Amino acid sequence: MNKQIIIDGEVVTYRPGQTLIQAARESGIYIPHLCYQPGYHAIGSCRVCMVKVNGRWASACTTLAAEGQVIDNRTLEVDAHRKQIVQMLFVEGNHYCPYCEKSGECDLQATAYELNMQEDHFQHLYPHRSLDTSHAEVWLDRDRCILCGLCVQASAEQDNKHLFTLGGRGTATQLLVNSSSGQLGETNISAADEAVAVCPVGALMKKQSIYSRRSGERTYDKTPISKLEFKA
Amino acid sequence: MIVSIANEYSVPVSEVRAIIDFYHFLSDKKNADYHFYFSNNIIDKMAHSDLLVLQLGERLNSIIQQDPSRVCLDETSCIGLADHAPAALVNGRPLPALNPQSIEEVAELVALGRPLDHWPAHLFQVRTRICRRSWLLNMSLPPGESLLSWQTKGSATILQELQASQLRGRGGAGFATALKWRSCEEQHSGEKYVICNADEGEPGTFKDRVMLSEHSDWLWEGMTLCAATVGASKGFLYLRAEYAYLLPQLETSLQVRRDTGWLGAALKERLGFEFDIQIVLGAGAYICGEESALLESLEGKRGIPRIRPPFPTISGYLRQPTVVNNVETFIHAAAIISKGSDSFLQLGTTQSKGTQLLSISGDCQRPGVYEYAFGETVEQILSDCGADEVQAVQIGGPSGQLLGPQSFHLTLGYEALGGSGSLMIFNHRRSLIEVVNNFTNFFAFESCGFCTPCRVGTALNQRMLTRLHLKQLRQHEIQLLEESVRLMQNSSHCGLGQSAGNSILNLLHDFPETVEQLLNTIGDDNEARLVQALQPAVQLRKS
Ligand SMILES: Cc1cc2nc3c(=O)[nH]c(=O)nc-3n(C[C@H](O)[C@H](O)[C@H](O)COP(=O)(O)O)c2cc1C
Ligand code: SF4
Ligand code: SF4
């Protein structure tokens, strides 16, 4: 028998074992998220999918749906909270949206629009991060990496290549490439790898295909991220 | 070197790099002949550790210039010697209670190239200071006493007795020990593990160190009792790298237990089950005290806290049922089963039974370990250890609370002050912003970096606190600071991020005069005038 939870006043049915975000998705309800992707194990690191479950904060991607849950999702309070987490991600890296190749196709940018982010709010950390253009098909711009870990999982489990690891700690955490030089050029990554496709931002990018769609005609220019999820 | 390690263990090169970069004491370069780590806790700073580092640096400057591979002067988070501040480690050995004379001596020995084994023993001598004994520390616990009790009564009764004692974990979270053991006991599949958390990374805390050096046998007893009760055959002591110098004596006391038939294969003949304990060293990461990060670390990975549930009793080390308890918790459990819970229950308060060990340091005459029954007031404790003119205390380490005199009537216990294992004392001559700034730096350095609010929030807080210290922060920025802390409290993945801002909020809310004096108000009236001048424009925009 299907069981029920309530999200923003709406009754949502779930199957035992589903997380809040999975149950919501099946019912066409958008819970903002970055490090969660359907088909991947929950990572739980970006904290953008925080919701309030019976008044207590919890991440929707790691919390199992359970009878009796009343959930605040797109309330003013919860969205304001999420916006600040997204702002933290922006000030942590170096994001130059106006001329970024991923602009209009980027989940971070689209989520910021969805949450009505108008300013950075927090002080920029301006980190020094490295750029890796050593490979013929793919480049890695760590300035834009949000350390979500999706490429790590994709490369290990879908591409069977184990090309990435998150290393270091604190703000020195960075995406490491599995080769003796630490450079992409030495690896067998390909532009068709799932690891590249899954990157939610402009960090892992395919060469030779940038700016192929003009500004104004890109994915999120036409449809906000909250709607796009359910188009397919 | 990294590549050869990767080949040897058949792991990706990036994994090896990732781990080296994560743990403070790992490096891909060879260690210097004399590698010093000065403890950078506020208690060490108050005892002028910075001046001593400078002194040593000056004395050894020419050697370092000549050959950097001979000496390295580094710092690290609290090394668990706040009762002997200022302290440092040299190649893993403790240098307690440093002063200008001992630094002079050390510099001389380094200049001569004298091996550490030939340094005078007094330089390394850590004296145990147990300043107050109560229920636990007055006890004599002969080896095997609680195990024989288990043999006659059986696991079910042991669990009942433990439950009746209402013992709660002494590692900070205060979880009921009987519930934890029972949950693991009830698992029917897989190999079970018993793990002692001896990471003791909370700055200002050293009571576990004192237990390990004075009463390791009690710990082995408690871990073996747990193994008997839940049905585990393998145990680990996860020992922080800063305590590596205790290793020889710990190995010896384990061997004594094996030789006397209270551990290892001999246990089988005597009590019908096998159990042995292996000591595993950490490598310099406070987060590895968090139990699920500890498990990751034990499995040879970066110490990133796991998603919970499942909790370790169901899916722990190698995803098998595992009990993780603090050093003091295991010892208390053994004592309760040996002596019965009646006397234990007579002490303490409604929700916090028995006694606890407190590590006391800072501005007082008698720093050391004190055993108190729960329910004692902060005021009484301060008088017992000889602290006067106290401006504030930090209870429970940097993740605990900063209390001013208006709160000294509060009492030890999970009801008010949490399961706090330490008390750092600051008198009226100390600068509280320096204290909170020190804690904020600690968290920024120790955040594992996994989740956004803590990774970014600790870095933002660090910058804002530094600016407050320099009298640069403005009133409106205080709000940003509070927002960052709230975000961390509400949405961090683990306890580190959730509690890292506690002392900041304490400072802002409970010490408003201190904060007011630090705020940058230069040009505040200009700002007001500017706002006034812009009024017509604002009006225009609104209309
Ligand atoms: C950041 C962090 C650090 C911790 N460090 C320690 C520690 O050094 N020692 C410890 O026993 N518990 C520590 N804990 C608590 C452990 O996660 C866990 O609750 C404890 O080991 C359980 O043992 P207990 O039930 O005996 O208290 C820490 C928790 C957090 C969140
Ligand atoms: S490169 Fe992309 S997918 Fe990989 S961790 Fe960074 S942001 Fe995530
Ligand atoms: S709260 Fe901090 S220490 Fe804990 S998982 Fe997040 S980043 Fe790591």
Side-chain angles (χ1 to χ4, degrees):
Chain A
M1 199 192 79
N2 274 335
K3 304 187 168 218
Q4 298 181 329
I5 52 177
I6 294 173
I7 303 183
D8 290 341
E10 249 181 83
V11 175
V12 170
T13 59
Y14 72 91
R15 281 171 280 115
Q18 278 189 313
T19 58
L20 298 178
I21 206 163
Q22 288 170 333
R25 228 182 135 78
E26 276 188 16
S27 299
I29 292 175
Y30 170 71
I31 299 180
H33 58 90
L34 288 170
C35 74
Y36 167 78
Q37 281 299 322
Y40 285 76
H41 317 294
I43 295 171
S45 66
C46 78
R47 314 309 280 175
V48 172
C49 72
M50 295 302 290
V51 291
K52 270 188 145 177
V53 181
N54 300 335
R56 296 188 57 159
W57 291 102
S59 48
C61 69
T62 60
T63 306
L64 291 178
E67 204 71 61
Q69 286 171 335
V70 179
I71 291 151
D72 290 349
N73 174 27
R74 303 303 305 270
T75 60
L76 282 178
E77 183 197 13
V78 174
D79 266 357
H81 190 86
R82 284 185 186 130
K83 179 166 78 180
Q84 292 198 333
I85 296 200
V86 172
Q87 284 166 326
M88 280 190 165
L89 285 170
F90 270 98
V91 300
E92 183 192 21
N94 299 306
H95 296 274
Y96 359 82
C97 297
Y99 55 92
C100 174
E101 299 85 346
K102 189 88 170 192
S103 200
E105 315 276 355
C106 167
D107 288 359
L108 179 66
Q109 184 192 46
T111 307
Y113 278 130
E114 178 71 29
L115 297 170
N116 197 21
M117 177 179 141
Q118 308 274 355
E119 37 110 38
D120 296 321
H121 202 64
F122 297 110
Q123 189 188 351
H124 276 266
L125 300 186
Y126 295 123
H128 287 280
R129 291 187 181 171
S130 62
L131 177 71
D132 181 348
T133 58
S134 59
H135 193 272
E137 295 178 27
V138 177
W139 93 85
L140 170 61
D141 186 348
R142 291 191 176 85
D143 272 343
R144 312 165 186 172
C145 172
I146 57 170
L147 307 169
C148 70
L150 280 168
C151 60
V152 178
Q153 212 184 105
S155 184
E157 293 175 19
Q158 311 207 19
D159 305 329
N160 279 315
K161 293 185 182 174
H162 292 274
L163 294 185
F164 300 106
T165 315
L166 286 171
R169 79 177 188 212
T171 44
T173 305
Q174 59 167 333
L175 187 67
L176 298 176
V177 174
N178 181 22
S179 66
S180 51
S181 64
Q183 297 276 308
L184 271 181
E186 243 186 279
T187 70
N188 61 344
I189 196 167
S190 116
D193 278 4
E194 184 57 27
V196 181
V198 78
C199 180
V201 294
L204 269 175
M205 296 285 288
K206 283 181 212 173
K207 288 187 174 175
Q208 278 143 18
S209 62
I210 56 166
Y211 299 130
S212 55
R213 271 195 284 181
R214 52 191 296 172
S215 177
E217 289 172 9
R218 297 176 190 158
T219 312
Y220 294 126
D221 294 341
K222 296 181 181 158
T223 320
I225 191 165
S226 55
K227 299 281 177 322
L228 195 90
E229 284 216 338
F230 306 105
K231 267 189 119 178
Chain B
M1 182 162 98
I2 290 178
V3 178
S4 63
I5 294 175
N7 289 339
E8 189 179 334
Y9 292 92
S10 309
V11 290
V13 199
S14 51
E15 293 289 342
V16 180
R17 256 189 208 114
I19 285 167
I20 292 175
D21 292 352
F22 186 84
Y23 293 98
H24 187 48
F25 295 139
L26 301 186
S27 161
D28 59 353
K29 291 175 198 71
K30 196 175 161 294
N31 270 344
D33 298 344
Y34 300 94
H35 198 121
F36 291 87
Y37 283 106
F38 281 81
S39 179
N40 66 13
N41 185 20
I42 185 69
I43 302 297
D44 298 281
K45 301 267 179 183
M46 282 164 23
H48 309 295
S49 60
D50 286 343
L51 289 176
L52 298 178
V53 179
L54 275 180
Q55 187 193 342
L56 189 60
E58 247 167 55
R59 288 285 277 100
L60 299 178
N61 190 26
S62 58
I63 297 179
I64 299 173
Q65 295 291 334
Q66 256 173 29
D67 182 1
S69 76
R70 281 186 63 196
V71 185
C72 178
L73 300 188
D74 208 341
E75 60 177 296
T76 194
S77 304
C78 182
I79 60 173
L81 284 169
D83 52 344
H84 293 74
L89 295 170
V90 56
N91 299 359
R93 299 203 201 184
L95 293 170
L98 289 164
N99 57 50
Q101 291 77 33
S102 57
I103 287 287
E104 224 25 62
E105 205 176 340
V106 165
E108 197 60 37
L109 291 161
V110 172
L112 290 170
R114 188 78 43 91
L116 289 185
D117 283 339
H118 297 161
W119 286 22
H122 75 88
L123 285 172
F124 303 123
Q125 191 155 27
V126 177
R127 288 180 36 233
T128 297
R129 296 200 178 103
I130 296 182
C131 305
R132 191 175 193 278
R133 294 168 189 270
S134 171
W135 186 80
L136 182 69
L137 295 175
N138 277 326
M139 202 174 271
S140 85
L141 269 178
E145 189 168 270
S146 76
L147 295 174
L148 292 174
S149 178
W150 170 83
Q151 192 180 30
T152 20
K153 295 175 179 165
S155 294
T157 310
I158 296 297
L159 286 172
Q160 270 167 19
E161 284 184 11
L162 208 54
Q163 184 146 8
S165 77
Q166 300 177 47
L167 174 65
R168 295 170 66 166
R170 301 293 201 248
F175 192 80
T177 307
L179 287 187
K180 197 180 268 189
W181 289 20
R182 189 184 298 276
S183 163
C184 186
E185 193 265 336
E186 283 168 353
Q187 303 307 310
H188 291 297
S189 62
E191 173 136 5
K192 296 179 186 176
Y193 295 95
V194 170
I195 294 173
C196 174
N197 187 342
D199 198 52
E200 194 162 63
E202 194 70 41
T205 315
F206 47 81
K207 48 121 187 154
D208 291 344
R209 183 201 88 224
V210 170
M211 287 299 101
L212 290 166
S213 32
E214 298 298 306
H215 295 295
S216 57
D217 191 69
W218 294 1
L219 172 61
W220 311 138
E221 176 87 12
M223 290 176 71
T224 313
L225 173 69
C226 177
T229 308
V230 306
S233 58
K234 179 118 188 87
F236 292 102
L237 175 74
Y238 187 91
L239 183 69
R240 69 187 308 225
E242 292 84 344
Y243 293 171
Y245 56 87
L246 296 177
L247 212 49
Q249 77 184 73
L250 290 172
E251 291 289 5
T252 307
S253 91
L254 275 178
Q255 195 51 45
V256 169
R257 273 194 82 92
R258 286 187 199 108
D259 295 345
T260 51
W262 292 116
L263 197 66
L267 213 49
K268 182 104 186 163
E269 283 162 44
R270 195 175 213 158
L271 297 174
F273 72 99
E274 236 179 286
F275 178 69
D276 211 333
I277 297 170
Q278 184 188 340
I279 304 176
V280 176
L281 279 182
Y286 164 66
I287 189 58
C288 292
E290 195 281 335
E291 58 184 13
S292 67
L294 182 152
L295 295 170
E296 290 286 295
S297 178
L298 207 54
E299 291 179 14
K301 305 181 209 152
R302 293 198 306 151
I304 305 288
R306 294 177 179 172
I307 295 171
R308 300 181 311 161
F311 291 97
T313 52
I314 293 173
S315 173
Y317 180 61
L318 303 177
R319 306 283 156 179
Q320 302 301 310
T322 304
V323 171
V324 183
N325 273 136
N326 173 258
V327 175
E328 188 188 336
T329 312
F330 279 120
I331 292 179
H332 265 292
I336 287 168
I337 297 305
S338 293
K339 310 293 176 192
S341 56
D342 290 352
S343 55
F344 182 81
L345 281 166
Q346 274 161 20
L347 297 165
T349 65
T350 330
Q351 285 175 47
S352 320
K353 295 297 179 195
T355 63
Q356 77 164 144
L357 303 177
L358 261 190
S359 323
I360 297 185
S361 66
D363 294 318
C364 65
Q365 283 160 27
R366 291 175 294 280
V369 169
Y370 289 68
E371 184 185 9
Y372 278 104
F374 286 110
E376 192 56 87
T377 61
V378 173
E379 216 157 26
Q380 182 61 47
I381 297 170
L382 289 175
S383 125
D384 290 351
C385 67
D388 38 44
E389 296 188 24
V390 179
Q391 179 183 191
V393 300
Q394 180 75 22
I395 189 149
S399 64
Q401 299 180 59
L402 181 69
L403 305 176
Q406 73 278 9
S407 307
F408 291 174
H409 64 281
L410 293 177
T411 56
L412 293 183
Y414 299 100
E415 293 93 332
L417 299 175
S420 34
S422 85
L423 189 77
M424 294 187 268
I425 304 169
F426 309 107
N427 68 23
H428 279 289
R429 292 185 305 281
R430 305 297 177 187
S431 137
L432 288 187
I433 180 64
E434 215 166 299
V435 172
V436 179
N437 205 0
N438 179 274
F439 296 162
T440 310
N441 289 338
F442 165 75
F443 287 116
F445 186 71
E446 297 292 348
S447 163
C448 85
F450 171 75
C451 71
T452 312
C454 172
R455 186 181 65 239
V456 186
T458 51
L460 289 171
N461 294 349
Q462 184 182 34
R463 282 162 174 74
M464 288 190 271
L465 259 287
T466 304
R467 290 183 52 230
L468 184 61
H469 197 177
L470 297 171
K471 300 194 173 185
Q472 291 175 354
L473 208 70
R474 305 189 75 94
Q475 176 68 49
H476 69 93
E477 291 174 290
I478 295 289
Q479 194 191 333
L480 282 182
L481 186 57
E482 292 211 33
E483 282 171 358
S484 162
V485 173
R486 295 276 178 227
L487 222 50
M488 291 166 63
Q489 287 183 331
N490 293 336
S491 40
S492 291
H493 174 63
C494 86
L496 190 155
Q498 288 159 9
S499 61
N502 287 354
S503 61
I504 298 179
L505 293 188
N506 288 149
L507 179 73
L508 296 180
H509 298 162
D510 301 340
F511 300 88
E513 323 80 55
T514 307
V515 178
E516 206 162 294
Q517 284 166 15
L518 288 164
L519 284 176
N520 175 3
T521 54
I522 301 167
D524 265 6
D525 46 345
N526 291 347
E527 234 169 79
R529 267 183 293 172
L530 186 67
V531 169
Q532 205 178 10
L534 287 171
Q535 266 310 305
V538 173
Q539 287 304 326
L540 212 60
R541 199 178 154 208
K542 277 187 183 153
S543 60

